[in-house]
Amino acid sequence: MQPLIDNARTFGRRPAEFARLAEGQSPDVLFITCSDSRVVPALITGARPGELFELRTAGNIVPPYAPGHPSAEAATVEYAVEVLGVTDVVVCGHSHCGAIGALVRGDDLDAVPAVRDWLAHAAGAPAPADPADPACAEAVQQHVLAQLLRLRSYPCVQQRLASGRLRLRGWYYEVHTGAVREHRAGSDAFEAL
């Protein structure tokens, strides 16, 4: 923890660099990814403060849209799309994902009921993974596509997609190599950016 504290102490010693951030934010991208500490959106994309609006959830799960039952996730998506006017939404899954691995393996999560209940929002269990693939690559990629489909059920996303003012993107990040792949509709495959 001490190195983090030391960096935080020196981070605020550059007020001129951060003064413009007080004027507001206007990110172009909502980046939805996992809470996993190995996935760092600004590091992956090279984004500076103010360039990404982030939503981090266990397993990068986008819960179903439920009118009359607000959630932090739905509020974040709606704010990014309606207020900030983002032009792109990226759902970024990653290799070696504990959440997707637990779903694929059918792990007993009774000891962590909040995790178990959250993972129930995963839009169906991904297909069983190749037992020789600890990264669960295929299952994670299927899960990313399911979350993109789930996003399409949000009214604000539907409207912006219909008007051509929003693009949805599915990414897969390999924590063991740093490679990023994007789903391409034409090939229905995740390919290098």
Side-chain angles (χ1 to χ4, degrees), residues 170-186:
W171 285 13
Y172 173 71
Y173 170 64
E174 292 182 339
V175 298
H176 56 293
T177 67
V180 179
R181 303 184 192 296
E182 182 171 28
H183 182 262
R184 306 285 187 206

Side-chain angles (χ1 to χ4, degrees), residues 24-50:
Q25 61 176 325
S26 58
D28 291 327
V29 179
L30 168 59
F31 200 92
I32 301 172
T33 195
C34 188
S35 303
D36 192 300
S37 63
R38 300 168 294 178
V39 180
V40 183
L43 185 63
I44 294 167
T45 63
R48 303 283 302 148

